[in-house]
mmCIF file of all heavy atoms in Angstrom:
data_model
loop_
_atom_site.group_PDB
_atom_site.id
_atom_site.type_symbol
_atom_site.label_atom_id
_atom_site.label_comp_id
_atom_site.label_asym_id
_atom_site.label_seq_id
_atom_site.Cartn_x
_atom_site.Cartn_y
_atom_site.Cartn_z
ATOM 1 N N ALA A 81 33.499 -21.016 17.424
ATOM 2 C CA ALA A 81 33.371 -19.973 16.379
ATOM 3 C C ALA A 81 32.358 -20.373 15.208
ATOM 4 O O ALA A 81 31.419 -19.978 14.772
ATOM 5 C CB ALA A 81 34.583 -19.351 15.966
ATOM 6 N N SER A 82 32.900 -21.762 14.719
ATOM 7 C CA SER A 82 32.005 -22.243 13.674
ATOM 8 C C SER A 82 30.702 -22.756 14.121
ATOM 9 O O SER A 82 29.687 -22.740 13.405
ATOM 10 C CB SER A 82 32.904 -23.417 13.006
ATOM 11 O OG SER A 82 33.129 -24.433 13.962
ATOM 12 N N PHE A 83 30.631 -23.188 15.460
ATOM 13 C CA PHE A 83 29.267 -23.541 16.038
ATOM 14 C C PHE A 83 28.303 -22.370 15.974
ATOM 15 O O PHE A 83 27.207 -22.464 15.604
ATOM 16 C CB PHE A 83 29.541 -24.030 17.358
ATOM 17 C CG PHE A 83 28.254 -24.434 18.180
ATOM 18 C CD1 PHE A 83 27.656 -25.673 18.068
ATOM 19 C CD2 PHE A 83 27.553 -23.517 18.925
ATOM 20 C CE1 PHE A 83 26.612 -26.106 18.626
ATOM 21 C CE2 PHE A 83 26.362 -23.842 19.599
ATOM 22 C CZ PHE A 83 25.893 -25.045 19.489
ATOM 23 N N GLU A 84 28.748 -21.212 16.326
ATOM 24 C CA GLU A 84 27.976 -19.994 16.377
ATOM 25 C C GLU A 84 27.479 -19.656 15.053
ATOM 26 O O GLU A 84 26.389 -19.383 14.732
ATOM 27 C CB GLU A 84 28.787 -18.840 16.956
ATOM 28 C CG GLU A 84 29.011 -18.820 18.446
ATOM 29 C CD GLU A 84 27.849 -19.283 19.325
ATOM 30 O OE1 GLU A 84 26.701 -18.697 19.062
ATOM 31 O OE2 GLU A 84 27.996 -19.867 20.429
ATOM 32 N N ARG A 85 28.428 -19.829 14.073
ATOM 33 C CA ARG A 85 28.048 -19.460 12.741
ATOM 34 C C ARG A 85 27.025 -20.426 12.104
ATOM 35 O O ARG A 85 26.030 -20.000 11.426
ATOM 36 C CB ARG A 85 29.286 -19.472 11.717
ATOM 37 C CG ARG A 85 28.961 -18.934 10.379
ATOM 38 C CD ARG A 85 30.292 -18.648 9.825
ATOM 39 N NE ARG A 85 30.756 -17.385 10.238
ATOM 40 C CZ ARG A 85 31.434 -16.453 9.687
ATOM 41 N NH1 ARG A 85 31.506 -16.487 8.394
ATOM 42 N NH2 ARG A 85 31.848 -15.351 10.268
ATOM 43 N N HIS A 86 27.312 -21.704 12.323
ATOM 44 C CA HIS A 86 26.275 -22.745 11.719
ATOM 45 C C HIS A 86 25.039 -22.700 12.503
ATOM 46 O O HIS A 86 23.976 -22.848 11.704
ATOM 47 C CB HIS A 86 27.016 -24.058 11.764
ATOM 48 C CG HIS A 86 27.949 -24.380 10.685
ATOM 49 N ND1 HIS A 86 27.547 -24.810 9.432
ATOM 50 C CD2 HIS A 86 29.270 -24.173 10.715
ATOM 51 C CE1 HIS A 86 28.679 -24.987 8.803
ATOM 52 N NE2 HIS A 86 29.760 -24.553 9.599
ATOM 53 N N ILE A 87 24.924 -22.510 13.744
ATOM 54 C CA ILE A 87 23.698 -22.623 14.450
ATOM 55 C C ILE A 87 22.967 -21.342 14.248
ATOM 56 O O ILE A 87 21.784 -21.337 14.020
ATOM 57 C CB ILE A 87 23.856 -22.898 15.936
ATOM 58 C CG1 ILE A 87 24.547 -24.203 16.167
ATOM 59 C CG2 ILE A 87 22.629 -22.751 16.683
ATOM 60 C CD1 ILE A 87 23.869 -25.336 15.748
ATOM 61 N N GLY A 88 23.628 -20.114 14.262
ATOM 62 C CA GLY A 88 23.061 -18.810 14.293
ATOM 63 C C GLY A 88 22.499 -18.461 12.748
ATOM 64 O O GLY A 88 21.625 -17.734 12.663
ATOM 65 N N ARG A 89 23.181 -18.824 11.829
ATOM 66 C CA ARG A 89 22.925 -18.329 10.443
ATOM 67 C C ARG A 89 22.264 -19.458 9.494
ATOM 68 O O ARG A 89 21.740 -18.944 8.519
ATOM 69 C CB ARG A 89 24.322 -17.829 9.789
ATOM 70 C CG ARG A 89 24.914 -16.683 10.585
ATOM 71 C CD ARG A 89 26.032 -16.151 9.699
ATOM 72 N NE ARG A 89 26.702 -15.151 10.376
ATOM 73 C CZ ARG A 89 27.745 -14.472 9.977
ATOM 74 N NH1 ARG A 89 28.317 -14.858 8.831
ATOM 75 N NH2 ARG A 89 28.196 -13.528 10.603
ATOM 76 N N SER A 90 22.355 -20.631 9.787
ATOM 77 C CA SER A 90 21.821 -21.613 8.868
ATOM 78 C C SER A 90 20.326 -21.845 9.106
ATOM 79 O O SER A 90 19.870 -21.808 10.182
ATOM 80 C CB SER A 90 22.523 -22.958 9.119
ATOM 81 O OG SER A 90 22.028 -23.864 8.150
ATOM 82 N N GLN A 91 19.630 -21.792 7.956
ATOM 83 C CA GLN A 91 18.206 -21.985 8.023
ATOM 84 C C GLN A 91 17.853 -23.514 7.826
ATOM 85 O O GLN A 91 16.747 -23.856 7.944
ATOM 86 C CB GLN A 91 17.429 -21.244 7.056
ATOM 87 C CG GLN A 91 17.587 -19.717 7.379
ATOM 88 C CD GLN A 91 16.946 -18.745 6.387
ATOM 89 O OE1 GLN A 91 17.099 -19.025 5.215
ATOM 90 N NE2 GLN A 91 16.071 -17.968 6.803
ATOM 91 N N VAL A 92 18.876 -24.395 7.786
ATOM 92 C CA VAL A 92 18.598 -25.799 7.835
ATOM 93 C C VAL A 92 18.749 -26.280 9.237
ATOM 94 O O VAL A 92 19.749 -25.834 9.881
ATOM 95 C CB VAL A 92 19.620 -26.462 6.839
ATOM 96 C CG1 VAL A 92 19.526 -28.068 6.982
ATOM 97 C CG2 VAL A 92 19.491 -26.063 5.411
ATOM 98 N N PRO A 93 17.966 -27.187 9.665
ATOM 99 C CA PRO A 93 18.269 -27.709 11.116
ATOM 100 C C PRO A 93 19.655 -28.219 11.208
ATOM 101 O O PRO A 93 20.133 -28.877 10.308
ATOM 102 C CB PRO A 93 16.976 -28.725 11.277
ATOM 103 C CG PRO A 93 15.971 -28.289 10.344
ATOM 104 C CD PRO A 93 16.677 -27.692 9.237
ATOM 105 N N VAL A 94 20.166 -28.174 12.463
ATOM 106 C CA VAL A 94 21.396 -28.676 12.755
ATOM 107 C C VAL A 94 21.358 -29.639 13.901
ATOM 108 O O VAL A 94 20.908 -29.226 15.002
ATOM 109 C CB VAL A 94 22.434 -27.591 13.086
ATOM 110 C CG1 VAL A 94 23.839 -28.145 13.400
ATOM 111 C CG2 VAL A 94 22.391 -26.534 11.834
ATOM 112 N N LEU A 95 21.814 -30.944 13.738
ATOM 113 C CA LEU A 95 21.794 -31.794 14.893
ATOM 114 C C LEU A 95 23.268 -31.980 15.358
ATOM 115 O O LEU A 95 24.208 -32.305 14.454
ATOM 116 C CB LEU A 95 21.421 -33.215 14.184
ATOM 117 C CG LEU A 95 21.516 -34.340 15.343
ATOM 118 C CD1 LEU A 95 20.599 -34.172 16.367
ATOM 119 C CD2 LEU A 95 21.198 -35.763 14.667
ATOM 120 N N VAL A 96 23.563 -31.645 16.553
ATOM 121 C CA VAL A 96 24.806 -31.642 17.061
ATOM 122 C C VAL A 96 25.059 -32.735 18.116
ATOM 123 O O VAL A 96 24.210 -33.065 18.891
ATOM 124 C CB VAL A 96 25.103 -30.258 17.857
ATOM 125 C CG1 VAL A 96 26.422 -30.211 18.507
ATOM 126 C CG2 VAL A 96 24.876 -29.137 16.875
ATOM 127 N N ASP A 97 26.180 -33.519 17.951
ATOM 128 C CA ASP A 97 26.475 -34.606 18.753
ATOM 129 C C ASP A 97 27.765 -33.963 19.611
ATOM 130 O O ASP A 97 28.740 -33.727 19.158
ATOM 131 C CB ASP A 97 27.126 -35.671 18.024
ATOM 132 C CG ASP A 97 27.703 -36.841 18.830
ATOM 133 O OD1 ASP A 97 27.324 -36.874 20.075
ATOM 134 O OD2 ASP A 97 28.402 -37.756 18.214
#
Side-chain angles (χ1 to χ4, degrees):
S82 59
F83 178 88
E84 295 302 326
R85 185 164 291 216
H86 281 271
I87 299 300
R89 293 186 181 175
S90 184
Q91 291 179 315
V92 172
V94 181
L95 177 64
V96 179
D97 175 18

